[in-house]
Amino acid sequence: MREFRLQRLLRTVRSVIAFVQPRLSASIKNGNVIVEGRFVVTPTLAEHTSDGAIAEFSILVVLASSYPNIEPRVSAPGNNIPQTPAHHMNDDGSCCVVIWEEWLATNEDNSIQAYFDGPLKNYFLGQHIKLATGNWPFGERNHGKEGILDAFAEILDCARNEKKIEYLLRILSKDWPRGHWICPCKSGQIIRKCCVVDLKTLSEKIPSKIAQKMLSRLRSYILK
Ligand SMILES: [Zn+2]
Ligand SMILES: [Zn+2]
């Protein structure tokens, strides 16, 4: 089953890179699909031609067979990108391409094609501009916990309060929250008598699977 999924993922990746990233190649290694080579940055989506290239980065992307359940691990060795938060580089040397849960929660299309054309392309365009000008473009989120809190407050449409966000995510992580729990709006009422409609709308927008991922992401930062 896993082998079948891997082969299917490999075919998908190959068909995506064949058209937009011909200097990358894909293969199966250690139970993952590995994409490696030169990632070509073009200024706009329309310019997927060699003439449109403004920069190239050597990259290594590890895609799990359960994509998009597991965030791809991206690294970019040998490009002289400083290993700093300002460059959206993680402590373990991997690239902070996007806040994965935010991308899952706010984009309908989470295909490989959408990932390469969206987050991955924007990230390396960002690196190119940062290296050239010293500024990260797109008014991007801060790296690390601050950026996570900004993003999650926006997705949940709630106050940017760590405790509040955590409680809300705990509720949304359940398939359906219990009506007798204390309402996250802190009215002191139980959910059933308070924000039950708002919470139902929110749980339709953010499935429990994504809420669980958001919660564990948030907790990994709180523990630091
Ligand atoms: Zn970052
Ligand atoms: Zn309430």
Side-chain angles (χ1 to χ4, degrees), residues 15-206:
S15 73
V16 167
I17 61 178
F19 288 104
V20 297
Q21 294 291 344
R23 291 179 200 183
L24 292 175
S25 65
S27 58
I28 290 177
K29 264 181 211 156
N30 303 322
N32 295 304
V33 171
I34 308 287
V35 182
E36 52 197 330
R38 308 283 293 172
F39 186 86
V40 178
V41 178
T42 50
T44 66
L45 288 179
E47 295 175 67
H48 280 139
T49 65
S50 54
D51 303 313
I54 55 170
E56 274 187 31
F57 290 89
S58 69
I59 67 164
L60 177 66
V61 185
V62 181
L63 297 151
S65 64
S66 61
Y67 177 93
N69 270 328
I70 296 176
E71 178 179 0
R73 187 182 192 282
V74 179
S75 53
N79 300 293
N80 300 319
I81 299 173
Q83 301 286 309
T84 62
H87 277 266
H88 284 281
M89 293 298 295
N90 297 316
D91 294 344
D92 68 355
S94 65
C95 299
C96 169
V97 172
V98 69
I99 298 175
W100 190 246
E101 301 76 28
E102 182 184 25
W103 188 62
L104 293 182
T106 56
N107 288 274
E108 298 258 308
D109 185 359
N110 301 126
S111 64
I112 296 285
Q113 173 93 54
Y115 176 65
F116 272 74
D117 280 348
L120 203 57
K121 192 215 152 202
N122 288 337
Y123 179 77
F124 285 105
L125 180 59
Q127 288 297 0
H128 170 67
I129 293 169
K130 173 81 180 166
L131 288 167
T133 68
N135 295 312
W136 193 271
F138 324 121
E140 207 70 1
R141 304 217 181 275
N142 286 326
H143 183 70
K145 186 178 168 186
E146 296 310 310
I148 299 282
L149 287 173
D150 286 340
F152 288 7
E154 213 173 286
I155 297 169
L156 298 166
D157 195 19
C158 76
R160 194 186 171 288
N161 172 304
E162 197 176 307
K163 289 254 144 42
K164 198 164 177 174
I165 291 173
E166 199 199 1
Y167 184 59
L168 199 47
L169 287 175
R170 270 169 57 202
I171 290 177
L172 293 171
S173 295
K174 310 289 173 189
D175 282 334
W176 178 235
R178 301 281 162 222
H180 63 268
W181 289 358
I182 295 295
C183 194
C185 77
K186 296 269 151 67
S187 62
Q189 296 268 41
I190 61 170
I191 290 173
R192 201 187 298 127
K193 292 184 177 169
C194 196
C195 303
V196 65
V197 176
D198 290 351
L199 282 174
K200 196 166 185 310
T201 310
L202 200 53
S203 73
E204 277 158 13
K205 190 177 120 190
I206 301 160

